[in-house]
């Protein structure tokens, strides 16, 4: 009977330790399956339906892509040990920000570079009447390049305005676009390009 009680205590202690570990875990944690294969459990809180999760290498090649299907907490296991040796990153593309979580695969071992995680705030475009408002939060004073094109009748675009803003944390610009035309706005920041088409007809 004492042996049974001792085993129950050990089991309860193990469960308590696992609960504490899970409670203190960050968004990325390592786990083992029953077969002993190494894997990665990805947990992302506060996701929205339509957010995009991808795994990419540093050549820009998308290895995995998934559209988040429901809002709340996203959890999924990945076996990253099958990837060739190299540097990769998870990318979570949300409404107004993109988070990258870099990791390295070397000889079936996966190491996450937590200190190199980056959150980039996306530029935001809002229309009101004939005005276009462009805003971006640039915490590291990263530059934003804005290009506005007008569309010709033959379908080609001509550059109407170009501006590069840098050294500012809160970037805010307002542009007036005439009615009776189609426009394309290209925004470059953090090595990413964002494009929006606007119809003023």
């Amino acid at each position: 009977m004492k042996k049974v009680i001792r085993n129950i205590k050990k089991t309860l202690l193990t469960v308590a330790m696992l609960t504490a570990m899970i409670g203190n875990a960050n968004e990325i944690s390592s786990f083992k399956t029953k077969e002993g294969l190494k894997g990665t459990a990805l947990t992302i809180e506060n996701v929205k339906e339509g957010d995009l999760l991808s795994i990419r290498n540093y050549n820009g090649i998308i290895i995995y892509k998934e559209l988040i299907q429901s809002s709340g907490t996203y959890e999924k296991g990945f076996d990253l040990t099958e990837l060739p040796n190299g540097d990769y990153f998870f990318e979570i593309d949300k409404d107004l920000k993109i988070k990258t979580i870099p990791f390295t695969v070397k000889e079936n071992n996966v190491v996450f570079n937590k200190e190199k995680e980056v959150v980039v705030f996306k530029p935001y475009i809002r229309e009101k009447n004939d005005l276009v408002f462009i805003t971006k939060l640039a915490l590291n004073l990263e530059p934003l390049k804005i290009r506005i094109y007008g569309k010709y009748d033959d379908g080609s675009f001509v550059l109407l305005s170009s501006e590069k803003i840098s050294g500012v944390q809160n970037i805010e610009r307002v542009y007036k676009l005439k009615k009776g035309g189609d426009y394309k706005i290209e925004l470059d920041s953090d090595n990413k390009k964002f494009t929006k088409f606007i119809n003023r007809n």
Side-chain angles (χ1 to χ4, degrees):
M1 185 68 178
K2 287 182 180 179
K3 192 173 184 180
V4 171
I5 292 173
R6 194 180 305 123
N7 286 339
I8 290 172
K9 285 182 178 178
K10 282 183 181 178
T11 303
L12 290 174
L13 179 62
T14 303
V15 170
M17 288 175 64
L18 284 172
T19 303
M21 287 170 63
I22 291 169
N24 292 323
N26 291 324
E27 289 185 344
I28 296 287
S29 60
S30 189
F31 74 95
K32 286 188 177 182
T33 64
K34 289 181 181 178
E35 295 79 20
L37 296 174
K38 286 187 177 179
T40 300
L42 177 67
T43 301
I44 311 168
E45 296 181 353
N46 301 318
V47 296
K48 291 183 180 178
E49 182 180 351
D51 289 351
L52 181 65
L53 169 69
S54 59
I55 300 174
R56 302 168 183 253
N57 67 16
Y58 280 88
N59 294 322
I61 296 173
I62 298 172
I63 296 160
Y64 175 83
K65 184 166 68 172
E66 177 185 353
L67 207 60
I68 304 295
Q69 298 298 316
S70 58
S71 300
T73 300
Y74 171 91
E75 293 179 312
K76 190 166 188 174
F78 295 89
D79 183 7
L80 304 173
T81 61
E82 296 297 319
L83 292 171
N85 290 348
D87 296 319
Y88 303 87
F89 58 91
F90 279 100
E91 182 176 272
I92 301 102
D93 192 337
K94 300 171 76 68
D95 284 341
L96 292 176
K97 64 182 179 180
I98 299 172
K99 181 173 184 178
T100 57
I101 305 167
F103 63 93
T104 300
V105 178
K106 187 174 182 181
E107 297 174 2
N108 295 332
N109 289 319
V110 180
V111 177
F112 282 89
N113 306 312
K114 298 287 289 180
E115 68 281 356
K116 293 185 179 179
E117 287 185 13
V118 176
V119 175
V120 171
F121 290 91
K122 295 159 70 172
Y124 179 68
I125 300 175
R126 181 174 62 91
E127 300 175 58
K128 186 175 181 181
N129 300 323
D130 58 348
L131 299 178
V132 173
F133 299 83
I134 299 175
T135 58
K136 185 186 186 308
L137 182 60
L139 294 178
N140 298 315
L141 306 179
E142 59 271 20
L144 173 67
K145 188 169 185 179
I146 302 171
R147 290 186 298 273
I148 301 176
Y149 297 86
K151 188 176 182 181
Y152 281 140
D153 291 336
D154 65 359
S156 63
F157 285 92
V158 61
L159 182 63
L160 302 176
S161 175
S162 179
E163 182 179 7
K164 184 177 181 180
I165 306 118
S166 59
V168 182
Q169 281 194 335
N170 292 310
I171 298 173
E172 298 176 327
R173 288 293 186 271
V174 181
Y175 298 92
K176 185 171 184 176
L177 301 181
K178 294 180 181 178
K179 290 185 178 180
D182 293 327
Y183 300 89
K184 178 173 73 169
I185 299 176
E186 288 183 348
L187 306 173
D188 290 311
S189 185
D190 302 291
N191 297 317
K192 296 184 182 297
K193 180 178 284 188
F194 306 91
T195 304
K196 183 176 178 68
F197 293 91
I198 295 176
N199 184 298
R200 284 289 182 209
N201 292 325

